[in-house]
Amino acid sequence: MKIDVITIFPEMIRSGLSHSIIKRAQEAGRVELAAHDPRDHTTDRHRSTDDTPYGGGAGMVMRPGPIFAAVESLEPPSDARIVMLTPQGKTLTQAMAHEFAQSSHLILLCGHYEGFDERVREHLATDEISIGDYVLTGGELPALVLIDAVVRLLPGVLGSEESAAGDTFSDGLLEYPQYTRPPDFRGWTIPEVLLSGNHAAIANWRRKEQFRRTQARRPDLWSAFQPSKSDLKLIKQLSEEIPSPSAGESSEEN
Ligand code: J9Q
């Protein structure tokens, strides 16, 4: 897969992609990542990538010319996904990450200031994506988030250890709590069952912790969850258990 990022801060993208699993994926040839500066596709004396808005008002707008020229210089195939990262887009989900992972060529457009000239959205972009409702200074961090979510889904990128199958959202539930040594840290001990060596009991405890946490913290995920027959048994058991004093996870206190 090829991923090109159009950004006035290409070093921000390059540095964000030069670590850990994403770095290894590039070295292994699973993905070819590059950042491109639309400034290199300007023709005016000041190499300007932005200009004042028609109709007046505060701020600056990204000019269409350098964005179109940067994309066209990549000679994208007709099935390339050209994705704008903006607060106006649909919020990125794991299902959308899977969909982008099917594409052979992704081109990400990072906005700044008051956003893009509308003709980029109308005549160049195929998709418009947000990563959530908060104000950022530009689309670079959202682009890095999208790349991370997509690249880890590509075949051969995750080792068996890190495999994507058991992650949160692969079955729509939050993960169970994890513990490592020491078994007593400052008087805080780990759940007894994890030391029992009873693998079936451990699996049941973990599944119930997933249910407990998802119910308490993410009622939206819990409503959408489709339990199996064995899940239904565990959900009933959980509802009959006396709440433990350390189970401080009511949605009230968040
Ligand atoms: C470009 N806030 O925010 C959330 N998803 C994308 C964005 C964003 C922003 C400002 C500029 C993208």
Side-chain angles (χ1 to χ4, degrees), residues 85-87 111 129-132 134-139 142:
L85 286 310
T86 81
I129 299 293
S130 165
I131 63 161
Y134 30 78
V135 181
L136 300 171
T137 59

Side-chain angles (χ1 to χ4, degrees), residues 72-117:
E72 286 159 2
S73 76
L74 301 171
E75 302 185 30
S78 59
D79 65 345
R81 303 287 291 262
I82 304 180
V83 184
M84 301 168 73
L85 286 310
T86 81
Q88 285 77 41
K90 281 191 277 182
T91 307
L92 181 65
T93 63
Q94 189 62 19
M96 288 154 80
H98 277 278
E99 198 190 300
F100 288 130
Q102 299 303 306
S103 177
S104 64
H105 196 172
L106 283 184
I107 300 176
L108 308 183
L109 310 180
C110 304
H112 268 265
Y113 319 111
E114 302 310 306
F116 295 96
D117 181 288

Side-chain angles (χ1 to χ4, degrees), residues 3 22 25 60 80 120-121 124 147 155-156 169 190 198 224 229 238:
I3 306 180
I22 307 300
M60 299 289 269
V120 171
R121 180 179 284 107
L124 186 62
I147 292 167
F169 304 122
I190 72 170
N198 182 340
K229 270 190 190 158
L238 185 60

Side-chain angles (χ1 to χ4, degrees), residues 72-247:
E72 286 159 2
S73 76
L74 301 171
E75 302 185 30
S78 59
D79 65 345
R81 303 287 291 262
I82 304 180
V83 184
M84 301 168 73
L85 286 310
T86 81
Q88 285 77 41
K90 281 191 277 182
T91 307
L92 181 65
T93 63
Q94 189 62 19
M96 288 154 80
H98 277 278
E99 198 190 300
F100 288 130
Q102 299 303 306
S103 177
S104 64
H105 196 172
L106 283 184
I107 300 176
L108 308 183
L109 310 180
C110 304
H112 268 265
Y113 319 111
E114 302 310 306
F116 295 96
D117 181 288
E118 188 66 14
R119 290 163 291 189
V120 171
R121 180 179 284 107
E122 289 178 338
H123 302 295
L124 186 62
T126 60
D127 300 87
E128 188 171 9
I129 299 293
S130 165
I131 63 161
D133 293 339
Y134 30 78
V135 181
L136 300 171
T137 59
E140 283 75 15
L141 290 171
L144 288 170
V145 167
L146 176 57
I147 292 167
D148 192 281
V150 168
V151 170
R152 62 188 297 290
L153 296 175
L154 299 178
V157 167
L158 294 190
S160 52
E161 206 71 337
E162 309 148 314
S163 149
D167 287 345
T168 297
F169 304 122
S170 64
D171 71 353
L173 292 177
L174 301 183
E175 291 301 275
Y176 51 78
Q178 297 277 21
Y179 297 88
T180 188
R181 287 182 285 234
D184 181 329
F185 176 69
R186 300 184 179 181
W188 300 311
T189 56
I190 72 170
E192 287 270 13
V193 67
L194 299 179
L195 296 166
S196 69
N198 182 340
H199 299 297
I202 291 169
N204 286 341
W205 178 85
R206 285 178 165 170
R207 194 71 179 154
K208 284 199 254 181
E209 286 300 309
Q210 287 193 275
F211 299 153
R212 195 200 303 281
R213 279 156 69 123
T214 307
Q215 281 175 330
R217 301 182 190 185
R218 292 296 303 272
D220 57 327
L221 295 182
W222 185 248
S223 301
F225 177 59
Q226 302 276 346
S228 69
K229 270 190 190 158
S230 59
D231 285 337
L232 286 170
K233 270 182 63 180
L234 294 171
I235 291 165
K236 180 160 174 286
Q237 282 179 31
L238 185 60
S239 72
E240 288 162 355
E241 282 173 21
I242 303 110
S244 78
S246 65

